[in-house]
């Protein structure tokens, strides 16, 4: 048992993890569940998979966790995988836990980094609510590791491999969880994860109308407007994919403005990779100032217009 | 109908200091509290109890002896009774150990229609315990619920996923984890706090569920922590708190020097 089995319900993320697994020289296999198998296997081979396991069955169409984890358990046995590498999307981290329990093995979710040293896979994830980074290893024979999306870059191999496709028949029944409706969230086409400048607002902003002032400032500095959880999830002023934090998006801009943001650790933990952090807050004791490079203590309703005016000159 | 709410006792994260020289967190003496997402789970259970007849809510927690006191808050908020499994060894359990202990506790309580958890614990936020518990108890699971209603002997929930809201239905018994958006947890009134001490509190040990520390405690953990340190990213912490005009000028000058302001 030495192989790696890679799975995500989002095939582009599987390519990322395959690139990593094959770069280590481990025999890598990939699993595809549902009807997309045929169309992706070629790409999987190009990214280092020596074998692609396909399972297609109507019971898999809803991606319910019980069914998906049972399918992966079956495929992991077949592949004699020591490590199952999953993308830590919401569905992925949920599947990881259930699969790990089926296999009765250890699991790490939300790995922000992953490296292999002397045969040990060492994962780094946030701990203590984001205050610390914890390095962890799993000592069980098999291991399930769920890695954050975009931790690795997908790169096709220089010389293509030709692996084989293995069809596996499902043994799982239909999930008792019935899907009634799937309502897509609006896609605004803005991706804060790759933005170079982020202008993040928090509850210090008093009304939705004031977003236009923030947008004006963001336009001047070439930035994208992002927000804290209360702004997207409670007040609904911005879509949820703009929310920064451990339960939202992790960002790594070269310049980050936190405006009317207190800088609670669950939010700030996702900003620590920013090159320069600027805080604008009227409370000198706000925690964000301890994590900032530059801070302006003052009312954002005075500071932002002043910044806009000076930067527009 | 019987609802079990799983709540974790966690360190009050706001109170954790970081040693400036070693970046180690100082955990000694930090007070404990109940996890945030679990308060949403409990609130939802209490709302279901208030809207239907014959609902009992039991809160279950696995942790250190401090739970005897910490759990009072859950009883004050509206749980009918509490079962806590107290053992110094389970503080070092990993997700698998915690899930096994929780499963044993819930099985011993018996007759449970709905298990509610938080989407993640406030400290670890691994999201493993709900999945593992559902697997051990062989229950259907619905995670990341931001809406939840009980209809007859089934539930309907809306799951909050990255790109979609997914409405699902499932017959009871089932396990559900909730997000913070599902409700606004209440603060218990003083009278409820005073009455909480009179509600049934069952304190169990590992023996009561026929488990041993070797099987589920620190020694059984297959997830090993090599290090746990605050990220060493020194920030400049140059704070300008003069009048707005000169603070803004100084900040702009600094950003220009950093070369990050590309105008
Ligand atoms: C497990 C867990 C996970 C979480 N995950 C996330 C997450 O992913 N993302 C997230 O954002 N949150 C998350 N949270 C919530 C987080 O802890 C904070 O509650 C939240 O980030 C606070 O948002 P805020 O800074 O906008 O609001 P507040 O904390 O209320 O801060 C508002 C700030 O604005 C300042 N202010 C007010 N008026 C003005 C003014 N006129 N001018 C200038 N400044 C002003 C105030 O001084 C204050 O510092 C999580 C919490 C938990 C428990
Ligand atoms: N020791 C525990 N006691 C009771 N419930 C727990 C415990 N650990 C985790 N949980 C529950 O599982 C959820 C997810 O935790 P986690 O898997 O650690 O992110 C929490 O929100 C709790 O509802």
């Amino acid at each position: 048992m030495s192989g790696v089995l890679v799975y995500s319900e989002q095939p582009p993320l599987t390519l990322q993890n395959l690139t990593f697994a094959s770069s280590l020289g481990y025999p890598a296999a990939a699993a595809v569940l549902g009807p997309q198998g045929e169309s992706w296997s070629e790409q999987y081979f190009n990214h280092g998979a020596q074998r692609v396991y396909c399972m297609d069955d109507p019971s898999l169409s809803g991606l319910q966790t019980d069914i998906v984890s049972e399918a992966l358990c079956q495929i992991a046995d077949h592949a004699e995988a020591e490590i199952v590498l999953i993308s830590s999307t919401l569905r992925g981290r949920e599947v990881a836990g259930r699969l790990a329990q089926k296999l009765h093995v250890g699991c790490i979710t939300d790995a922000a980094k992953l490296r292999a040293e002397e045969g040990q896979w060492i994962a780094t994830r946030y701990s203590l609510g984001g205050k610390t980074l914890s390095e962890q290893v799993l000592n069980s024979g098999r291991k399930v590791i769920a890695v954050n999306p975009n931790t690795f870059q997908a790169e096709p191999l220089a010389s293509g491999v030709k692996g084989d496709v293995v069809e596996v028949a499902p043994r799982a029944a239909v999930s008792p969880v019935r899907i009634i409706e799937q309502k897509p969230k609006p896609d605004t086409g803005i991706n804060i994860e790759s933005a170079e400048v982020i202008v993040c607002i928090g509850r210090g902003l008093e009304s939705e109308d004031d977003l236009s002032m923030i947008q004006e400032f963001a336009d001047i500095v070439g930035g994208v407007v992002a927000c804290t959880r209360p702004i997207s999830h409670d007040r609904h002023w911005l879509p949820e994919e703009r929310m920064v934090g451990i339960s939202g998006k992790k960002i790594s801009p070269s310049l980050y403005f936190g405006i009317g943001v207190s800088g609670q650790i669950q939010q700030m933990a996702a900003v620590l990779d920013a090159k320069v952090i600027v805080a604008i807050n009227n409370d000198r004791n706000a925690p964000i100032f301890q994590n900032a490079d530059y801070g302006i203590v003052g009312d954002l309703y005075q500071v932002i217009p002043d910044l806009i005016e000076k930067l527009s000159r | 109908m019987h609802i079990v709410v799983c709540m974790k006792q966690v360190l009050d994260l706001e109170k954790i200091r970081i040693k400036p020289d070693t970046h180690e967190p100082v955990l000694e003496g930090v007070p404990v509290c109940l996890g945030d997402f679990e308060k949403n789970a409990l609130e939802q259970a209490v709302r279901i109890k208030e809207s239907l007849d014959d609902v009992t809510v039991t809160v279950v927690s696995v942790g250190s002896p401090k739970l005897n006191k910490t759990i009072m808050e859950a009883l004050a908020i509206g749980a009918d009774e509490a079962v806590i499994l107290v053992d110094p060894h389970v503080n070092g359990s990993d997700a698998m150990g915690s899930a096994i202990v929780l499963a044993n506790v819930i099985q011993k309580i018996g007759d449970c229609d709905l298990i509610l958890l938080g989407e993640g614990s406030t400290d670890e936020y691994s999201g493993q315990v709900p999945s593992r518990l559902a697997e051990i108890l062989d229950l259907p699971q619905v995670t990341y619920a931001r809406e939840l209603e009980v209809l007859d002997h089934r539930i309907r929930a809306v799951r909050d996923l990255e790109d979609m809201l997914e409405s699902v239905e499932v017959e009871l018994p089932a396990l559900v984890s909730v997000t913070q958006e599902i409700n606004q947890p209440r603060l218990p009134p003083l009278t409820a706090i005073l009455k909480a001490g009179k509600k049934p509190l069952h304190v169990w040990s590992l023996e009561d569920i026929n488990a041993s520390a070797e099987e589920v405690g620190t020694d059984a953990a297959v997830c090993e922590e090599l290090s746990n340190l605050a990220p060493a990213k020194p920030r400049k912490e140059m704070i300008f708190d003069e009048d707005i005009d000169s603070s803004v000028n100084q900040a702009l000058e600094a950003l220009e020097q950093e070369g990050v302001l590309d105008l």
Side-chain angles (χ1 to χ4, degrees), chain A:
Chain A
M1 226 171 35
S2 66
V4 182
L5 177 69
V6 184
Y7 167 78
S8 171
E9 78 285 353
Q10 296 180 39
L13 301 180
T14 295
L15 297 181
Q16 299 176 355
N17 288 340
L18 268 177
T19 305
F20 171 69
S22 64
S23 76
L24 298 174
Y26 279 82
V32 204
L33 307 180
Q36 15 166 272
E38 291 301 311
S39 54
W40 282 93
S41 40
E42 210 54 43
Q43 290 248 55
Y44 287 173
F45 293 136
N46 286 336
H47 287 75
Q50 299 177 358
R51 185 171 273 188
V52 176
Y53 289 91
C54 296
M55 192 186 278
D56 188 11
D57 189 80
S59 67
L60 286 161
S61 64
L63 291 175
Q64 282 99 330
T65 300
D66 42 0
I67 304 293
V68 171
S69 55
E70 182 62 30
L72 289 176
C73 181
Q74 214 181 322
I75 295 174
D77 278 342
H78 206 293
E80 300 194 342
E82 180 195 341
I83 289 162
V84 183
L85 205 53
I86 295 178
S87 272
S88 215
T89 59
L90 293 180
R91 288 188 196 274
R93 66 205 297 277
E94 180 189 8
V95 162
R98 191 141 189 170
L99 172 64
Q101 193 58 43
K102 271 184 200 293
L103 300 169
H104 207 80
V105 302
C107 173
I108 295 170
T109 54
D110 299 337
K113 284 184 202 148
L114 180 62
R115 63 180 204 276
E117 258 172 37
E118 293 163 16
Q120 265 202 332
W121 291 56
I122 304 174
T124 309
R125 74 186 304 279
Y126 283 112
S127 176
L128 295 177
K131 267 202 149 73
T132 53
L133 281 168
S134 162
E135 284 203 330
Q136 304 178 348
V137 291
L138 296 172
N139 294 326
S140 46
R142 302 173 109 170
K143 308 149 185 35
V144 178
I145 303 177
V147 186
N148 285 339
N150 307 319
T151 300
F152 305 112
Q153 233 186 331
E155 266 169 47
L157 298 177
S159 56
V161 232
K162 188 73 201 127
D164 50 335
V165 175
V166 180
E167 304 277 346
V168 183
R171 65 175 175 223
V174 175
S175 173
V177 180
R178 286 186 304 282
I179 297 173
I180 309 297
E181 189 192 8
Q182 292 185 322
K183 207 161 77 192
K185 292 182 183 171
D187 177 10
T188 52
I190 289 176
N191 179 4
I192 61 170
E193 283 162 316
S194 57
E196 275 299 305
V197 180
I198 292 276
V199 176
C200 183
I201 50 146
R203 288 208 305 197
L205 202 71
E206 274 159 29
S207 104
E208 192 172 0
D209 295 337
D210 304 334
L211 273 174
S212 58
M213 169 180 80
I214 300 297
Q215 188 61 54
E216 186 185 351
F217 173 64
D219 288 342
I220 295 174
V221 294
V224 174
V225 180
C227 63
T228 61
R229 186 154 172 151
I231 299 297
S232 54
H233 285 64
D234 300 337
R235 296 184 185 171
H236 306 288
W237 291 351
L238 283 170
E240 289 162 14
E241 73 261 18
R242 304 269 194 114
M243 192 260 284
V244 176
I246 56 165
S247 53
K249 297 275 197 268
K250 285 117 199 134
I251 54 172
S252 48
S254 49
L255 180 57
Y256 171 88
F257 291 93
I259 302 171
V261 172
S262 59
Q264 296 302 327
I265 192 66
Q266 293 93 355
Q267 194 266 335
M268 209 64 210
V271 186
L272 297 176
D273 283 339
K275 186 163 168 258
V276 176
I277 294 179
V278 182
I280 298 165
N281 198 304
N282 59 4
D283 175 5
R284 177 66 182 85
N285 295 318
I288 191 172
F289 285 125
Q290 291 160 28
N291 275 310
D293 293 294
Y294 305 103
I296 301 175
V297 182
D299 180 357
L300 73 91
Y301 288 92
Q302 293 175 345
V303 176
I304 299 298
D306 193 47
L307 275 166
I308 292 176
E309 198 223 295
K310 286 173 178 159
L311 288 168
S312 324
R313 271 187 212 152

Side-chain angles (χ1 to χ4, degrees), chain B residues 169-184:
Chain B
E169 270 188 27
V170 61
E171 307 285 324
L172 296 175
L175 176 147
V176 178
S177 79
V178 306
T179 71
Q180 282 194 309
E181 285 68 41
I182 194 167
N183 56 40
Q184 184 68 46

Side-chain angles (χ1 to χ4, degrees), chain B residues 51-79:
Chain B
S51 69
L52 300 172
D53 294 332
D54 292 326
V55 178
T56 27
V57 177
T58 303
V59 47
V60 168
S61 188
V62 175
S64 76
K66 288 187 183 149
L67 260 179
N68 281 292
K69 222 168 131 191
T70 316
I71 205 68
M72 285 303 148
E73 187 182 1
L75 292 170
I77 289 172

Side-chain angles (χ1 to χ4, degrees), chain B residues 205-245:
Chain B
S205 67
L206 285 175
E207 245 169 55
D208 290 312
I209 56 162
N210 291 322
S212 69
E214 293 82 65
E215 287 169 286
V216 291
T218 321
D219 293 343
V222 290
C223 183
E224 184 191 338
E225 189 161 81
L226 302 179
S227 70
N228 191 20
L229 299 174
K233 183 123 193 181
R235 294 284 167 191
K236 298 198 176 72
E237 281 188 62
M238 288 177 63
I239 312 301
F240 309 114
D241 59 358
E242 297 154 36
D243 60 287
I244 303 278
D245 180 50

